[in-house]
Amino acid sequence: MKVLVPVKRVIDYNVKVRVKADQSGVELANVKMAMNPFDEIAVEQALRIKEAGGAEEIVLVSIGPAQSQETIRTGLAMGADRGIHIEAGQDVEPLAVAKLLKAVVDKEAPGLVLCGKQAIDGDCNQTGQMLSALLGWSQGTFASGIEIAGDTAKIIREVDGGLEHISVNMPCVITVDLRLNEPRYASLPNIMKAKKKPIDQLDAAELGVDTTPRLTTIKVEEPETRKAGIKVGSVTELVDKLKNEAKVI
Ligand code: AMP
């Protein structure tokens, strides 16, 4: 089985995001970028499936600017086999991403697509679900446990009430959640090996997908800054402030 893992280049999760002066979006110039953390978890899971004998090849695909190839290299250094880069702007919307991924699935015929549950820049949480609908495949979302057994995948999902155990038919799309695994660090020899692994280039227009945005961003604003806290001298003072200042009791 071949496993396809879509990996997105996003602002590194440690970076404090700044809004552009003209409020048209967030500042990307000179900002550290990295692989979307949920996609790292998906790559790790694909590697574990391969190491357990459940897959022969792991193919990474990234849609974005030229630097997305660095993101693919990060995954290749973790142990994936090869990459596919589709050149596009930073803000391709989930439906266009899902259509491009469908075109890649039609070409590559993987048995499993492992996505992140959401990209931490747009927080859309849509791509995996849209892809499974376009393919007509089963889906298992927010997976915190995955076991592939023949032509079914057993998935544990974290839901409000606890853990939901589901079984879906393969081929399928699975979106992964935070507690599924802890991604490995790439070793130096693997970083060197990754430099020689192939990254194919595909073109969105040749794949017949229009990536023009359908949504218009009106304005991006910083969240209101939190006011500093205060210390109260007694419970009476606390109750008084909650009642008369905060007006919450
Ligand atoms: P989203 O629906 O944007 O929150 O993204 C969910 C998942 O879809 C991500 O974790 C990635 O696995 C995949 N994905 C979204 N955008 C891209 C992209 N531009 N390139 C590759 N994978 C993507």
Side-chain angles (χ1 to χ4, degrees), residues 19-27 91 216-221:
V19 173
K20 279 188 192 165
D22 65 0
Q23 296 192 311
S24 62
V26 297
E27 195 58 75
D91 294 321
T216 312
T217 303
I218 301 166
K219 190 161 105 178
V220 178
E221 283 179 333

Side-chain angles (χ1 to χ4, degrees), residues 6-8 36 38-39 61-64 94 97 101 114-119 123-128:
V7 292
K8 187 175 188 189
N36 182 42
F38 292 108
D39 303 353
V61 47
S62 193
I63 297 144
V97 172
L101 292 176
L114 270 178
C115 299
K117 76 163 179 180
Q118 80 192 56
D123 277 343
C124 291
N125 176 8
Q126 295 170 0
T127 308

